[in-house]
């Protein structure tokens, strides 16, 4: 089939919608997907997830990190990676501010964590960010 800018494609095997920008196919809407957490991080309150829709990635959920866990809490796959490194502020359930760095390699880094344990990190405060290459 010839390419057409703005064309949409729905993959029934993955339940993901794709959009053609005339050069590349991009996620149009992935639906909510479980956030791939690194060792030492858990999402005890029903999970953590990401969604790419309209060229933006959003994340939601509550996380806990053990004292031995690294500061990077998750890595998303290539089509869901941000176009530029971004610094956001979010909070824990006790309203302690937390700095999150979203990196172009797909990693989400809790800059505030250091080597200490953290509970109830609310990642829904990270704003939707543009994805792409």
């Amino acid at each position: 089939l010839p390419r057409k800018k703005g064309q949409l494609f729905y993959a029934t095997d993955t339940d993901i919608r794709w959009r053609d920008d005339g050069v590349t196919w991009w996620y149009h809407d992935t639906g909510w997907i479980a956030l791939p957490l690194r060792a030492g991080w858990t999402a005890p309150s029903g999970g953590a997830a990401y969604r790419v829709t309209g060229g933006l990635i959003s994340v939601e959920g509550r996380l806990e990190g053990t004292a031995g866990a690294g500061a990077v809490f998750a890595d998303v796959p290539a089509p869901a990676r941000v176009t530029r490194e971004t610094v956001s502020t979010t909070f824990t359930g006790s309203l302690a501010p937390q700095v999150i760095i979203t990196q172009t390699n797909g990693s989400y880094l809790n800059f505030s964590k250091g080597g200490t344990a953290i509970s109830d990190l609310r990642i829904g405060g990270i704003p939707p960010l543009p994805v792409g290459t």
Side-chain angles (χ1 to χ4, degrees):
L1 294 172
R3 298 187 76 115
K4 184 175 180 184
K5 187 175 183 176
Q7 183 177 10
L8 297 176
F9 173 78
Y10 176 71
T12 57
D13 59 334
T14 60
D15 199 33
I16 294 175
R17 293 162 192 83
W18 297 84
R19 180 185 53 82
D20 186 357
D21 69 2
V23 178
T24 305
W25 284 95
W26 297 100
Y27 285 149
H28 177 66
D29 186 352
T30 61
W32 288 102
I33 299 171
L35 192 63
L37 298 176
R38 288 246 183 132
W41 287 92
T42 60
S45 298
Y50 74 94
R51 180 180 199 154
V52 178
T53 184
L56 299 172
I57 184 169
S58 299
V59 293
E60 71 172 23
R62 296 166 69 178
L63 303 177
E64 291 184 2
T66 63
V72 175
F73 59 82
D75 296 291
V76 294
R81 293 180 183 168
V82 296
T83 56
R84 62 183 170 77
E85 186 174 285
T86 305
V87 177
S88 306
T89 303
T90 190
F91 296 90
T92 63
S94 62
L95 300 180
Q98 298 291 304
V99 175
I100 305 294
I101 301 173
T102 307
Q103 301 174 312
T104 58
N105 67 357
S107 295
Y108 282 76
L109 166 68
N110 182 345
F111 184 76
S112 305
K113 181 181 182 303
T116 62
I118 189 167
S119 62
D120 204 13
L121 175 64
R122 312 272 176 116
I123 59 173
I126 302 169
L129 300 169
V131 299
T133 56

